Short mmCIF file of all heavy atoms in Angstrom, two decimals:
data_model
loop_
_atom_site.label_atom_id
_atom_site.label_comp_id
_atom_site.label_asym_id
_atom_site.label_seq_id
_atom_site.Cartn_x
_atom_site.Cartn_y
_atom_site.Cartn_z
N MET A 1 183.72 250.20 226.00
CA MET A 1 184.93 251.14 226.06
C MET A 1 184.35 252.65 226.11
O MET A 1 183.31 252.96 225.57
CB MET A 1 185.68 250.99 224.78
CG MET A 1 186.32 249.62 224.59
SD MET A 1 187.77 249.34 225.79
CE MET A 1 189.04 250.35 224.88
N LEU A 2 185.09 253.45 226.78
CA LEU A 2 184.86 254.83 226.87
C LEU A 2 185.78 255.66 225.93
O LEU A 2 186.84 255.14 225.59
CB LEU A 2 184.97 255.33 228.33
CG LEU A 2 184.07 254.76 229.36
CD1 LEU A 2 184.50 255.20 230.68
CD2 LEU A 2 182.61 255.04 229.10
N THR A 3 185.26 256.71 225.40
CA THR A 3 186.02 257.60 224.59
C THR A 3 185.90 259.04 225.28
O THR A 3 184.96 259.47 225.78
CB THR A 3 185.44 257.71 223.18
OG1 THR A 3 185.70 256.41 222.64
CG2 THR A 3 186.08 258.80 222.39
N TYR A 4 187.12 259.74 225.18
CA TYR A 4 187.13 261.12 225.66
C TYR A 4 186.74 262.03 224.62
O TYR A 4 187.27 262.09 223.54
CB TYR A 4 188.47 261.37 226.18
CG TYR A 4 188.84 262.83 226.63
CD1 TYR A 4 188.60 263.25 227.95
CD2 TYR A 4 189.27 263.70 225.73
CE1 TYR A 4 188.90 264.56 228.28
CE2 TYR A 4 189.54 265.12 226.05
CZ TYR A 4 189.36 265.43 227.37
OH TYR A 4 189.60 266.84 227.73
N VAL A 5 185.77 263.05 224.88
CA VAL A 5 185.41 264.06 223.92
C VAL A 5 185.29 265.47 224.69
O VAL A 5 184.34 265.52 225.54
CB VAL A 5 184.04 263.79 223.23
CG1 VAL A 5 183.77 264.89 222.22
CG2 VAL A 5 184.20 262.40 222.50
N GLU A 8 184.71 265.14 228.54
CA GLU A 8 183.85 264.10 229.03
C GLU A 8 184.29 262.75 228.60
O GLU A 8 184.90 262.58 227.45
CB GLU A 8 182.37 264.36 228.45
CG GLU A 8 181.76 265.63 228.82
CD GLU A 8 180.37 265.67 228.47
OE1 GLU A 8 179.38 265.07 229.02
OE2 GLU A 8 180.00 266.37 227.37
N PHE A 9 184.03 261.74 229.42
CA PHE A 9 184.21 260.40 229.08
C PHE A 9 182.92 259.77 228.74
O PHE A 9 181.98 259.59 229.59
CB PHE A 9 184.95 259.70 230.14
CG PHE A 9 186.27 260.15 230.50
CD1 PHE A 9 186.48 261.19 231.36
CD2 PHE A 9 187.38 259.59 229.80
CE1 PHE A 9 187.86 261.68 231.61
CE2 PHE A 9 188.67 260.01 230.02
CZ PHE A 9 188.90 261.05 230.95
N LEU A 10 182.80 259.36 227.43
CA LEU A 10 181.44 258.84 226.92
C LEU A 10 181.58 257.42 226.41
O LEU A 10 182.61 257.05 225.99
CB LEU A 10 181.01 259.81 225.81
CG LEU A 10 180.85 261.29 225.96
CD1 LEU A 10 180.63 261.98 224.66
CD2 LEU A 10 179.84 261.59 227.01
N ASP A 12 181.47 254.60 223.78
CA ASP A 12 181.78 254.77 222.34
C ASP A 12 180.63 254.99 221.51
O ASP A 12 180.67 255.92 220.62
CB ASP A 12 182.45 253.42 221.84
CG ASP A 12 183.99 253.38 222.28
OD1 ASP A 12 184.41 254.30 222.83
OD2 ASP A 12 184.57 252.30 221.81
N TYR A 76 197.14 265.20 228.36
CA TYR A 76 198.05 264.25 228.98
C TYR A 76 197.33 263.46 230.10
O TYR A 76 197.43 262.20 230.10
CB TYR A 76 199.21 265.12 229.59
CG TYR A 76 200.34 264.23 230.29
CD1 TYR A 76 201.47 263.96 229.63
CD2 TYR A 76 200.16 263.77 231.64
CE1 TYR A 76 202.55 263.25 230.34
CE2 TYR A 76 201.17 263.09 232.28
CZ TYR A 76 202.36 262.81 231.60
OH TYR A 76 203.34 262.06 232.24
N SER A 77 196.60 264.17 230.92
CA SER A 77 195.90 263.47 232.01
C SER A 77 194.72 262.66 231.47
O SER A 77 194.46 261.58 232.02
CB SER A 77 195.32 264.60 233.03
OG SER A 77 196.42 265.24 233.62
N ALA A 78 194.00 263.14 230.38
CA ALA A 78 192.87 262.49 229.87
C ALA A 78 193.35 261.08 229.28
O ALA A 78 192.62 260.18 229.33
CB ALA A 78 192.28 263.30 228.79
N VAL A 79 194.54 261.01 228.68
CA VAL A 79 195.02 259.80 228.18
C VAL A 79 195.17 258.68 229.24
O VAL A 79 194.63 257.56 229.10
CB VAL A 79 196.40 259.93 227.38
CG1 VAL A 79 197.00 258.56 227.02
CG2 VAL A 79 196.21 260.70 226.11
N LEU A 80 195.75 259.08 230.39
CA LEU A 80 195.83 258.26 231.45
C LEU A 80 194.58 257.86 232.13
O LEU A 80 194.35 256.75 232.44
CB LEU A 80 196.80 258.75 232.48
CG LEU A 80 198.27 259.12 231.96
CD1 LEU A 80 199.04 259.83 233.13
CD2 LEU A 80 199.03 257.82 231.57
N GLU A 81 193.74 258.75 232.32
CA GLU A 81 192.40 258.56 232.86
C GLU A 81 191.52 257.66 231.95
O GLU A 81 190.81 256.82 232.54
CB GLU A 81 191.67 259.89 233.10
CG GLU A 81 190.35 259.71 233.85
CD GLU A 81 190.51 259.08 235.30
OE1 GLU A 81 191.59 259.15 235.88
OE2 GLU A 81 189.43 258.63 235.71
N LEU A 82 191.62 257.85 230.70
CA LEU A 82 190.97 256.94 229.76
C LEU A 82 191.37 255.51 229.90
O LEU A 82 190.52 254.60 229.92
CB LEU A 82 191.20 257.43 228.26
CG LEU A 82 190.38 256.62 227.17
CD1 LEU A 82 188.96 256.94 227.27
CD2 LEU A 82 190.93 256.96 225.76
N LEU A 83 192.66 255.25 229.96
CA LEU A 83 193.10 253.94 230.17
C LEU A 83 192.68 253.29 231.52
O LEU A 83 192.34 252.22 231.53
CB LEU A 83 194.65 253.86 230.09
CG LEU A 83 195.21 254.34 228.72
CD1 LEU A 83 196.73 254.44 228.76
CD2 LEU A 83 194.70 253.40 227.61
N ARG A 84 192.67 254.15 232.60
CA ARG A 84 192.25 253.69 233.95
C ARG A 84 190.68 253.37 233.84
O ARG A 84 190.29 252.34 234.38
CB ARG A 84 192.56 254.70 234.92
CG ARG A 84 194.08 254.94 235.24
CD ARG A 84 194.36 256.01 236.22
NE ARG A 84 195.74 256.30 236.32
CZ ARG A 84 196.26 257.58 236.25
NH1 ARG A 84 195.41 258.52 236.13
NH2 ARG A 84 197.62 257.61 236.41
N ARG A 85 189.92 254.29 233.28
CA ARG A 85 188.44 253.98 233.23
C ARG A 85 188.17 252.85 232.46
O ARG A 85 187.10 252.11 232.77
CB ARG A 85 187.71 255.27 232.81
CG ARG A 85 187.83 256.45 233.76
CD ARG A 85 186.85 257.55 233.31
NE ARG A 85 187.07 258.72 234.23
CZ ARG A 85 185.99 259.62 234.49
NH1 ARG A 85 184.79 259.32 233.96
NH2 ARG A 85 186.16 260.60 235.22
N ASN A 86 188.86 252.55 231.39
CA ASN A 86 188.67 251.27 230.61
C ASN A 86 189.21 250.16 231.16
O ASN A 86 189.16 249.10 230.49
CB ASN A 86 189.09 251.64 229.16
CG ASN A 86 188.09 252.43 228.34
OD1 ASN A 86 186.94 252.26 228.36
ND2 ASN A 86 188.68 253.50 227.61
N GLU A 87 189.99 250.21 232.29
CA GLU A 87 190.58 249.03 232.91
C GLU A 87 191.51 248.33 232.02
O GLU A 87 191.47 247.06 231.91
CB GLU A 87 189.53 248.11 233.46
CG GLU A 87 188.71 248.62 234.68
CD GLU A 87 189.49 248.63 235.94
OE1 GLU A 87 190.49 247.66 236.10
OE2 GLU A 87 189.43 249.52 236.86
N ILE A 88 192.36 249.12 231.27
CA ILE A 88 193.32 248.51 230.38
C ILE A 88 194.49 247.84 231.01
O ILE A 88 195.28 248.53 231.73
CB ILE A 88 193.74 249.56 229.31
CG1 ILE A 88 192.61 250.27 228.66
CG2 ILE A 88 194.70 248.97 228.30
CD1 ILE A 88 191.75 249.34 227.82
N TYR A 93 196.64 250.65 222.02
CA TYR A 93 196.98 251.78 221.10
C TYR A 93 196.01 252.89 221.43
O TYR A 93 194.68 252.70 221.66
CB TYR A 93 196.77 251.36 219.57
CG TYR A 93 196.87 252.52 218.63
CD1 TYR A 93 198.14 252.81 218.14
CD2 TYR A 93 195.74 253.20 218.19
CE1 TYR A 93 198.32 253.84 217.16
CE2 TYR A 93 196.03 254.16 217.26
CZ TYR A 93 197.16 254.58 216.74
OH TYR A 93 197.36 255.55 215.80
N VAL A 94 196.46 254.16 221.53
CA VAL A 94 195.57 255.32 221.89
C VAL A 94 195.70 256.30 220.71
O VAL A 94 196.75 256.63 220.20
CB VAL A 94 196.13 256.01 223.11
CG1 VAL A 94 195.29 257.14 223.56
CG2 VAL A 94 196.30 254.94 224.30
N ARG A 95 194.58 256.84 220.35
CA ARG A 95 194.40 257.78 219.24
C ARG A 95 193.89 259.11 219.75
O ARG A 95 192.66 259.20 219.87
CB ARG A 95 193.57 257.21 218.09
CG ARG A 95 193.12 258.08 216.91
CD ARG A 95 194.28 258.54 216.10
NE ARG A 95 195.12 257.61 215.38
CZ ARG A 95 194.82 257.02 214.37
NH1 ARG A 95 193.71 257.31 213.75
NH2 ARG A 95 195.48 256.16 213.81
N PRO A 96 194.68 260.06 219.95
CA PRO A 96 194.17 261.50 220.27
C PRO A 96 194.01 262.27 219.02
O PRO A 96 194.85 262.07 218.03
CB PRO A 96 195.30 262.04 221.14
CG PRO A 96 196.54 261.38 220.65
CD PRO A 96 196.15 260.02 220.18
N ILE A 117 189.41 264.65 220.87
CA ILE A 117 188.91 263.36 220.99
C ILE A 117 190.02 262.31 221.21
O ILE A 117 191.07 262.50 220.72
CB ILE A 117 188.07 262.86 219.74
CG1 ILE A 117 186.98 263.82 219.41
CG2 ILE A 117 187.59 261.40 219.87
CD1 ILE A 117 186.34 263.63 218.08
N ILE A 118 189.80 261.44 222.18
CA ILE A 118 190.82 260.40 222.43
C ILE A 118 190.10 259.03 222.58
O ILE A 118 189.16 258.94 223.33
CB ILE A 118 191.62 260.63 223.72
CG1 ILE A 118 192.13 262.11 223.70
CG2 ILE A 118 192.67 259.67 223.87
CD1 ILE A 118 192.66 262.45 225.18
N TRP A 119 190.39 258.05 221.68
CA TRP A 119 190.03 256.68 221.97
C TRP A 119 191.09 255.62 221.97
O TRP A 119 192.32 256.06 221.73
CB TRP A 119 188.95 256.38 220.79
CG TRP A 119 189.50 256.50 219.33
CD1 TRP A 119 189.30 257.71 218.62
CD2 TRP A 119 190.16 255.52 218.58
NE1 TRP A 119 189.77 257.38 217.36
CE2 TRP A 119 190.44 256.17 217.36
CE3 TRP A 119 190.58 254.20 218.84
CZ2 TRP A 119 190.96 255.55 216.26
CZ3 TRP A 119 191.23 253.59 217.86
CH2 TRP A 119 191.47 254.18 216.54
N CYS A 120 190.81 254.48 222.30
CA CYS A 120 191.84 253.48 222.41
C CYS A 120 191.35 252.07 222.00
O CYS A 120 190.08 251.89 221.92
CB CYS A 120 192.40 253.41 223.83
SG CYS A 120 191.22 252.94 225.15
N MET A 121 192.22 251.22 221.66
CA MET A 121 191.89 249.86 221.24
C MET A 121 193.10 248.90 221.47
O MET A 121 194.23 249.37 221.48
CB MET A 121 191.57 249.82 219.68
CG MET A 121 192.71 250.31 218.80
SD MET A 121 192.40 250.13 217.13
CE MET A 121 192.45 248.30 216.88
N VAL A 300 200.54 253.91 234.23
CA VAL A 300 199.17 254.18 234.35
C VAL A 300 198.57 253.90 235.62
O VAL A 300 197.89 254.68 236.27
CB VAL A 300 198.42 253.39 233.17
CG1 VAL A 300 196.89 253.46 233.41
CG2 VAL A 300 198.83 253.76 231.81
N TRP A 301 199.05 252.78 236.12
CA TRP A 301 198.55 252.33 237.53
C TRP A 301 199.48 252.72 238.53
O TRP A 301 200.57 252.16 238.82
CB TRP A 301 198.40 250.72 237.48
CG TRP A 301 197.47 250.29 236.39
CD1 TRP A 301 197.68 249.73 235.33
CD2 TRP A 301 196.04 250.59 236.38
NE1 TRP A 301 196.58 249.52 234.50
CE2 TRP A 301 195.52 250.06 235.15
CE3 TRP A 301 195.07 251.21 237.21
CZ2 TRP A 301 194.18 250.16 234.73
CZ3 TRP A 301 193.74 251.22 236.91
CH2 TRP A 301 193.35 250.64 235.72
#
Side-chain angles (χ1 to χ4, degrees):
M1 297 287 282
L2 298 176
T3 290
Y4 172 92
V5 182
E8 295 186 81
F9 293 90
L10 305 172
D12 278 359
Y76 181 100
S77 297
V79 169
L80 298 175
E81 183 63 19
L82 181 70
L83 297 175
R84 293 177 187 131
R85 292 194 183 207
N86 281 313
E87 287 288 328
I88 302 300
Y93 177 86
V94 183
R95 169 65 58 86
I117 300 167
I118 310 170
W119 56 265
C120 62
M121 62 176 285
V300 171
W301 301 107

